[in-house]
Amino acid sequence: MPSLKDLRNRIASVKSTQKITSAMKMVAASRLKRAQEQAESSRPYATRMGRMLASLGAHVPAGASAPPLMRGTGRDDVHLLLVMTSDRGLCGGFNGTLTRETRRRITELTAAGKSVKLFIVGRKGRDNLRRDHADKIVETATDHGSQYGFEVADRIGTRLLEMFEAGDFDVATVIYNRFRSAISQVVTAEQLVPVSLGGAPEAANDDAPPAVMSAASRAVYDFEPAEDQILAELLPRNLAIQIYKALLESQASEHGARMTAMDNATRNAGDMIGKLTLQYNRSRQAAITKELIEIISGAEAL
Amino acid sequence: MAETTEFELVSPERLLMQRPVEMVVLPGGEGNFAAMARHAPMISTLRPGVIEVYEKRPEASEKLFVEGGFVEVTPERCTVLADTVTPVGDLDRARIEQDIRDLGEDLADATTAPERAAATRAMAIARAKLVAVGH
């Protein structure tokens, strides 16, 4: 049975923890709002990029003349996984689910006789996967501060291109947490290289009215310079945009996950304080009663 | 009022500008060109240079420096996907000249091919900036 003083200390410490978690929750909530706005405002570019790619893709034959980023290397042996985790912890299952999925994929690919390389964004994923897949990690990008700018995506994209041109991998896939809501994030994998033009995913569902869209893609475009040259410039750009999109999704998910986790932690701390206070009051009451009994029995003995 | 075309300027981070304009002069990959209403549909790359926006001719209402990007022109629209956008007024001649000197050194020091390519690209951008502030 803990003494009254112990209980008081315990209650005080849980209370201060609760203050911290509730502050973290509020910070995460405001960051989440900012991350969502950022994701929102990056959408026009992606939409228009998708539209351009679609109309270009219609003009460029997907044969041997297509740029390597589109055609791929013709092999399927080395898979690069771009894993997007967070730099900081205390965000519930955010990194756990992601690394678990990554592990599953590594096992699956290895079983199929492919070799796997890892490009890890975020400190948490690096620390986690380093434990048993250290040999596969070829590149990491960590410590980006509280908000991703486009230059981060651009840097990762450039690095990826360098590796692709050096023939370091055949297929690149990004694995990230797609933001569905503050309490639900979905681990998503999307293939980055080779690019599939048919699947320019956000081409269909955005702010441009569908009628305008189809008219635009039906129109006969002039290209300056030639189609394949534009495509050769557009594809690396598109790669960076895809990465940027994934980064922003992952960022929003991280803050959402942290918000939920901290909300739970705050609630748990509240429950605990309640329980401890009850226990404290009971033992105080018991102590008082005991003292009274002692006094009374002392008086009776006289 | 002359016919207008819808001009959109988009950077990866956000939509920067969206308004009806009479004409836009663009630094296309193979030479400058002007986009006006009912322009034939085309897609072009942009080289580092200045986009001149004419909300009402003959005065350019806005001059913007872009480091590169893409443009899609349709009869009713002109969409620019730009990498980095700076108003020409914000460019500082002394800074650019300093940059060019620094980049010259970088270029001389560059040993690997990618390093040299990056420095050459940065140099082209800086030179284009200098041209932009020149007039």
Side-chain angles (χ1 to χ4, degrees), chain A residues 72 89 164:
Chain A
F164 182 70

Side-chain angles (χ1 to χ4, degrees), chain B residues 1-108:
Chain B
M1 177 97 189
E3 261 187 287
T4 57
T5 182
E6 187 76 9
F7 174 63
E8 294 173 325
L9 179 62
V10 203
S11 80
E13 265 128 10
R14 61 204 172 89
L15 184 64
L16 293 169
M17 196 187 283
Q18 183 170 35
R19 61 170 75 135
V21 298
E22 282 190 12
M23 178 171 85
V24 193
V25 178
L26 299 150
E30 301 194 329
N32 289 8
F33 65 92
M36 300 168 75
R38 290 194 281 173
H39 191 288
M42 72 176 292
I43 291 179
S44 169
T45 53
L46 294 180
R47 62 187 158 74
V50 178
I51 298 181
E52 289 175 22
V53 183
Y54 293 82
E55 243 172 284
K56 212 162 160 45
R57 278 178 296 169
E59 272 306 298
S61 49
E62 212 117 17
K63 288 188 178 182
L64 304 158
F65 182 84
V66 289
E67 292 188 1
F70 306 92
V71 58
E72 179 193 30
V73 185
T74 65
E76 59 280 338
R77 215 157 14 139
C78 170
T79 308
V80 175
L81 303 185
D83 296 355
T84 314
V85 183
T86 335
V88 170
D90 293 357
L91 294 175
D92 172 21
R93 176 178 274 274
R95 269 274 293 290
I96 300 163
E97 279 167 356
Q98 180 60 42
D99 280 353
I100 290 184
R101 272 195 295 280
D102 292 350
L103 286 167
E105 287 166 23
D106 286 358
L107 205 54

Side-chain angles (χ1 to χ4, degrees), chain A residues 20 30 58 66 78 89 106 176 191 205 220-221 235 247 251 256 268 274 286:
Chain A
I20 294 170
S30 83
V78 186
I106 294 174
Y176 67 97
Q191 185 170 314
N205 58 3
V220 183
Y221 281 91
L235 285 175
L247 274 177
Q251 177 176 262
N268 287 345

